Amino acid sequence: DTYPDNPEGYVRRATPLMDTYQFDAADSDLQKYLELSADKDKAHSSVSSLLYTKLLYQPDSTYSKWNFDVALEHIDKAIELNSKLEYKYQKGQILMAKKDYDAAYNLYDAINRSADRSPASYYAASLVLDARGDTVTAQIELLDSALAMFPDPMPADAANYVLRRGKLYERAGIYRKAVLDYNKFCYLSNNQVNANFYYDRSVLETKARMYQQAVDDINMAVSAEPNDILF
């Protein structure tokens, strides 16, 4: 109230109002924020993000003014004003939450066919294919494309991409390749892994008939967590 023309005050007040289920008051503040903001694309992106977060973490609310379509309208307005890549990723997240997998895949596929493609865009597309129920082979191909974009030797940033591909190889029954990716993840993580990782890799190694490696890994799991009955 002290600075009625400051847009940031309205969006900041809207957040605790949303947390306490005062949605009409929060909506009023967000509309005022949009009205006063000079940076309209950022404002629409911020409102879209707030609605997306609310819908994810307060899904039991029956407040009818807000839904994923409204969140999409705001991010589409942001993209119309400024086609920033981060806004496109934000739209992809909303489409995923809305379970509009075809639209989400088309969005990431368009990025992957452009100069803006990156490991992250290939990774996101693989997650969409997983949610949509596409083949594991298609998901692995996208992760191959993601990993091919990293320099050689691979940086630590590639670790989670490698681990996800390893999990997909396991789902496909290609156990030895899965083990190789688990090994690479361990290396990229500077061997900073926990007992559950050693256990999971030992299970994989057993499936791959790499029995000595499986014994070594389950011993590592027991050593890290000696009181765990499963290990």
Side-chain angles (χ1 to χ4, degrees):
D1 294 336
T2 306
Y3 303 100
D5 295 325
N6 179 8
E8 291 301 318
Y10 291 99
V11 73
R12 290 180 183 177
R13 186 170 66 179
T15 303
L17 288 171
M18 293 167 77
D19 291 341
T20 54
Y21 290 78
Q22 299 178 67
F23 298 125
D24 275 324
D27 186 62
S28 178
D29 274 358
L30 292 179
Q31 295 307 316
K32 195 68 176 177
Y33 168 62
L34 288 167
E35 176 189 333
L36 294 173
S37 292
D39 196 348
K40 295 296 185 186
D41 61 294
K42 179 183 176 184
H44 280 291
S45 170
S46 296
V47 171
S48 178
S49 180
L50 283 171
L51 299 188
Y52 168 76
T53 301
K54 178 266 172 193
L55 292 163
L56 279 186
Y57 297 106
Q58 295 175 316
D60 55 332
S61 166
T62 57
Y63 190 65
S64 59
K65 281 189 180 181
W66 294 341
N67 53 47
F68 286 120
D69 286 328
V70 175
L72 275 174
E73 287 173 11
H74 283 291
I75 198 59
D76 279 337
K77 287 178 183 176
I79 292 170
E80 184 180 333
L81 293 166
N82 187 340
S83 59
K84 288 170 68 172
L85 189 59
E86 67 181 84
Y87 294 163
K88 294 177 183 178
Y89 277 102
Q90 189 176 339
K91 180 175 181 177
Q93 288 181 318
I94 297 168
L95 289 169
M96 282 286 283
K98 191 171 179 272
K99 298 185 179 180
D100 191 347
Y101 301 129
D102 289 342
Y105 181 76
N106 290 339
L107 185 151
Y108 291 125
D109 187 54
I111 295 172
N112 289 335
R113 294 176 185 274
S114 75
D116 290 326
R117 64 184 176 275
S118 68
S121 60
Y122 283 114
Y123 186 92
S126 78
L127 294 179
V128 177
L129 292 190
D130 191 8
R132 197 170 69 175
D134 282 56
T135 66
V136 174
T137 301
Q139 296 173 52
I140 290 172
E141 286 174 357
L142 286 168
L143 285 169
D144 285 342
S145 296
L147 289 164
M149 294 193 73
F150 284 104
D152 187 20
M154 280 187 183
D157 291 348
N160 287 333
Y161 295 78
V162 171
L163 183 61
R164 174 161 176 77
R165 188 177 64 179
K167 291 180 182 294
L168 290 172
Y169 275 135
E170 181 180 12
R171 280 167 53 182
I174 309 172
Y175 300 124
R176 286 185 175 258
K177 281 192 173 183
V179 171
L180 289 175
D181 272 353
Y182 271 66
N183 293 346
K184 188 176 294 184
F185 170 82
C186 192
Y187 172 77
L188 293 172
S189 303
N190 200 27
N191 294 320
Q192 300 300 307
V193 295
N194 59 24
N196 287 327
F197 173 85
Y198 288 119
Y199 172 77
D200 290 343
R201 190 167 63 177
S202 77
V203 171
L204 261 180
E205 288 161 339
T206 302
K207 291 176 180 177
R209 300 184 179 181
M210 301 165 69
Y211 300 119
Q212 186 56 56
Q213 292 94 322
V215 170
D216 292 342
D217 268 342
I218 200 62
N219 284 337
M220 290 291 288
V222 171
S223 178
E225 294 287 347
N227 296 320
D228 191 302
I229 299 301
L230 172 64
F231 300 155

